């Protein structure tokens, strides 16, 4: 998250920041179980799965592996917590706001622990996790804490003698399925608006990076959320993830991940109970990842070479440990090459030339994706007309990756459905109820 007045600018720490924290060495993993009803559980099957540090390739710990039976237990807990008359449903909206603020306080208190865990799990630099991911999480929690008691319907003038008003009610039990790259931030983007609106949650973190999501279980309990409001089921996509997307008692799924899995989620929703689905799909961001992704990125680099692009630098693995790939730049790339069309999810930059604005807009829009785009120019007219013409959920002008809790984020076309963050996110976590009252008194 790039802030204009905070601790980080263009992804780099503000040099004026007095003391930069350091990661904790030899951090002990405390939470590697399934979190249901504010308690820690072993998996029903007795199975576990290993979690690795991608920077070293070493195993961090084994985590209890949730499958359908565990998801069923979590959904039962979330459903009970959502029943009318439950402590969660009886809590005033301002009470929900207070709990979210308290959670924000706990994240601030445990920021170094969470950033250390995120670094171990994802391989990203500690200061990135501390300054970017955790800052974004805390700001998002505080932003939605403020919304909790401001979610209002309308009074609508209608024909004849009726009084008509709308109420925005929580959707119910929400599933959240998150990716490996920003594990905690993508979770908070879903959890904060879901809880702000009064829903309950069943969360499945990515199998590669579940540790910060699991740690959140202890903070959820400490903050004082009633049992069953937040449940966390670590496990694999085709098992635990699919159990969520097919579940008849889950009312909505919020997902961040690949377009292929996004399609499966919509299929599962329509094959089960037509649950609401929000999807945040394809983009193109450099990252360090696991063995499978490492092989995939090297395969893309090979395809760039085979298809005739010119390798300017990088193009191979680096280091003896971990899954690092050299920053790679290709020039002489054309629109049909796979490296230009597909999501690589690795540190591979393609340089494409253009002759005119019309040409570049047409080519930029000639993509199945439409998540983000950026234009760099001092010419305001040019900047605004390009922003208007691009088919993209976000357009950055003279900046990149400038995300804020207040502004909606999501994609056009196959980059997704719906929006996270900002006031728009609230509509994804509420149902609108229309109440119409027949008045006996005729209009005067
Ligand atoms: P990425 O390319 O970011 O790893 P994926 O779409 O493969 O994205 O994974 C994102 C999340 O989706 C992970 O939590 C993964 O376990 C989950 N997932 C993968 N397959 C399925 C599936 N069939 N049903 C539900 N969730 C899934």
């Amino acid at each position: 998250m790039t802030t204009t007045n905070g601790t980080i600018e263009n992804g780099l720490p503000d040099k004026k920041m007095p003391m930069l924290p350091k990661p904790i060495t030899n951090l002990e993993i405390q939470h590697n179980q399934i979190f249901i009803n504010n308690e820690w559980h072993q998996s029903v099957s007795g199975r576990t799965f290993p979690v690795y540090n991608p920077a070293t390739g070493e195993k961090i710990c084994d985590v209890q592996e949730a499958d359908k039976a565990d998801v069923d237990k979590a959904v039962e807990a979330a459903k009970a917590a959502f029943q009318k008359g439950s402590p969660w449903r009886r809590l005033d909206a301002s009470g929900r706001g207070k709990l979210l603020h308290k959670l924000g306080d706990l994240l601030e208190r445990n920021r170094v622990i969470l950033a250390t865990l995120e670094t171990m799990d994802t391989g990203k630099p500690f200061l990135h996790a501390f300054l970017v991911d955790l800052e974004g999480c805390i700001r998002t929690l505080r932003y939605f804490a403020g919304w909790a008691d401001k979610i209002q319907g309308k009074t609508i003038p209608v024909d004849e003698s009726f009084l008509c008003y709308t109420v925005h009610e929580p959707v119910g039990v929400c599933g959240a399925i998150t990716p490996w790259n920003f594990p905690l931030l993508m979770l908070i983007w879903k959890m904060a608006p879901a809880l702000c609106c009064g829903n309950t949650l069943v969360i499945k973190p990515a199998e590669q990076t579940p540790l910060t999501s699991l740690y959140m279980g202890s903070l959820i309990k400490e903050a004082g959320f009633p049992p069953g409001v937040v449940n966390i089921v670590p496990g694999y996509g085709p098992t635990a993830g699919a159990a969520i997307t097919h579940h008849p008692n889950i009312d909505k799924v919020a997902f961040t991940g690949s377009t292929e899995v996004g399609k499966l989620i919509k299929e599962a929703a329509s094959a089960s109970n037509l649950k609401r689905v929000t999807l945040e799909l394809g983009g193109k961001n450099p990252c360090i990842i696991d063995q499978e992704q490492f092989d995939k990125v090297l395969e893309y680099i090979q395809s760039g070479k085979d298809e005739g692009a010119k390798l300017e630098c990088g193009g191979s693995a680096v280091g003896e440990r971990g899954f690092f790939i050299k920053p790679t730049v290709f020039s002489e790339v054309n629109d049909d090459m796979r490296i230009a069309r597909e999501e690589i999810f690795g540190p591979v930059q393609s340089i494409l030339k253009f002759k005119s604005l019309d040409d570049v807009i047409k080519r930029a829009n000639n993509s199945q994706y439409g998540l983000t785009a950026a234009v760099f120019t001092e010419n305001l007219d040019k900047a605004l007309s390009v922003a208007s013409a691009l088919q993209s959920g976000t357009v950055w002008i003279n900046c990149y990756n400038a995300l804020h809790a207040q502004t909606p984020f999501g994609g056009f076309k196959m980059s997704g459905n719906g929006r996270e963050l900002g006031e728009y996110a609230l509509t994804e976590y509420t149902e609108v109820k229309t109440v119409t009252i027949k008045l006996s008194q005729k209009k005067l």
Side-chain angles (χ1 to χ4, degrees):
M1 182 157 303
T2 307
T3 67
T4 48
N5 57 357
T7 53
I8 185 152
E9 189 73 47
N10 296 326
L12 297 171
D14 181 345
K15 290 198 187 66
K16 290 190 284 265
M17 230 183 133
M19 282 278 289
L20 288 172
K22 291 203 162 53
I24 300 165
T25 42
N26 301 323
L27 180 67
E28 201 186 314
I29 304 301
Q30 292 170 22
H31 304 297
N32 61 348
Q33 293 181 299
I34 298 167
F35 185 74
I36 298 174
N37 261 331
N38 281 1
E39 286 164 358
W40 297 101
H41 298 259
Q42 310 274 43
S43 63
V44 171
S45 67
R47 283 198 306 269
T48 59
F49 66 95
V51 174
Y52 295 94
N53 180 336
T56 62
E58 283 162 12
K59 185 163 104 174
I60 305 171
C61 66
D62 288 305
V63 168
Q64 292 293 317
E65 184 192 329
D67 203 333
K68 188 175 177 312
D70 309 276
V71 170
D72 284 345
K73 279 167 61 179
V75 174
E76 205 177 301
K79 200 176 165 208
F82 189 73
Q83 290 295 327
K84 279 268 182 210
S86 69
W88 179 238
R89 294 305 296 277
R90 277 191 278 117
L91 190 67
D92 288 336
S94 59
R96 296 201 302 271
K98 265 193 201 158
L99 284 178
L100 283 169
H101 268 306
K102 176 82 183 154
L103 196 57
D105 293 343
L106 296 179
L107 257 76
E108 295 214 25
R109 187 194 69 190
N110 288 19
R111 188 167 174 164
V112 174
I113 297 177
L114 285 162
T116 303
L117 270 182
E118 206 70 312
T119 295
M120 288 164 68
D121 222 2
T122 62
K124 67 175 72 180
F126 171 77
L127 282 181
H128 190 282
F130 185 87
L131 294 171
V132 181
D133 298 48
L134 265 297
E135 181 70 17
C137 290
I138 292 161
R139 288 181 186 216
T140 304
L141 283 167
R142 300 226 179 279
Y143 172 76
F144 284 105
W147 263 116
D149 60 357
K150 297 166 195 70
I151 300 169
Q152 302 162 352
K154 293 179 178 176
T155 310
I156 302 172
V158 292
D159 295 344
E160 298 148 3
S161 294
F162 295 95
L163 171 66
C164 190
Y165 66 92
T166 58
V167 188
H168 295 193
E169 296 190 352
V171 177
V173 178
C174 297
I177 300 178
T178 52
W180 57 266
N181 58 343
F182 286 89
L184 191 57
L185 188 62
M186 291 304 104
L187 169 58
I188 299 288
W189 279 18
K190 296 165 182 55
M191 178 192 274
L195 296 178
C196 152
C197 297
N199 299 280
T200 59
L201 278 163
V202 176
I203 295 157
K204 195 206 81 66
E207 55 273 28
Q208 302 90 336
T209 56
L211 298 181
T212 46
S213 303
L214 289 174
Y215 197 94
M216 282 301 290
S218 67
L219 301 185
I220 285 284
K221 184 172 178 174
E222 185 179 345
F225 285 90
V229 171
V230 175
N231 307 278
I232 308 164
V233 286
Y236 291 100
T239 52
I244 289 177
T245 58
H246 283 93
H247 208 290
N249 291 331
I250 290 195
D251 304 291
K252 182 226 156 78
V253 170
F255 170 78
T256 303
S258 62
T259 302
E260 302 85 72
V261 175
K263 286 182 179 177
L264 292 178
I265 288 176
K266 277 207 157 179
E267 279 174 25
S270 53
S272 54
N273 60 345
L274 278 178
K275 52 181 66 66
R276 280 104 188 86
V277 174
T278 45
L279 304 172
E280 199 257 275
L281 309 173
K284 275 177 169 283
N285 307 310
C287 293
I288 306 158
I289 36 191
D290 61 11
Q291 179 75 51
E292 198 183 325
Q293 187 63 20
F294 178 78
D295 295 341
K296 202 164 130 187
V297 174
L298 290 178
E299 198 253 307
Y300 269 113
I301 291 173
Q302 189 57 45
S303 84
K305 291 182 194 164
D306 293 347
E307 290 181 346
K310 185 173 168 210
L311 182 66
E312 296 287 351
C313 66
S316 59
V318 60
E320 282 163 20
R321 296 194 315 164
F323 308 110
F324 294 94
I325 290 173
K326 286 183 188 161
T328 299
V329 178
F330 280 109
S331 63
E332 296 174 25
V333 178
N334 70 44
D335 297 5
D336 299 326
M337 292 179 182
R338 282 181 64 208
I339 53 170
R341 279 186 292 114
E342 296 176 19
E343 181 183 29
I344 301 173
F345 235 19
V348 182
Q349 179 74 54
S350 299
I351 301 174
L352 291 84
K353 290 184 185 158
F354 64 93
K355 290 206 172 74
S356 69
L357 267 192
D358 285 348
D359 170 45
V360 76
I361 288 167
K362 212 159 119 201
R363 287 166 59 195
N365 287 338
N366 183 22
S367 158
Q368 60 180 343
Y369 294 124
L371 187 62
T372 66
V375 50
F376 294 85
T377 172
E378 288 181 352
N379 182 326
L380 189 62
D381 278 352
K382 226 182 237 181
L384 295 183
S385 58
V386 174
S388 157
L390 287 172
Q391 294 164 352
S392 175
T394 293
V395 179
W396 287 298
I397 298 176
N398 294 337
C399 57
Y400 197 76
N401 259 354
L403 298 169
H404 300 93
Q406 298 86 350
T407 53
F409 187 76
F412 282 27
K413 299 190 273 187
M414 283 174 72
S415 284
N417 293 162
R419 294 292 177 269
E420 297 193 289
L421 301 181
E423 186 178 353
Y424 293 87
L426 302 175
T427 61
E428 312 286 356
Y429 288 94
T430 47
E431 292 282 12
V432 179
K433 182 180 279 177
T434 304
V435 181
T436 302
I437 308 165
K438 175 96 176 91
L439 302 175
S440 54
Q441 185 79 39
K442 288 249 160 36
K443 266 186 192 168
L444 295 177

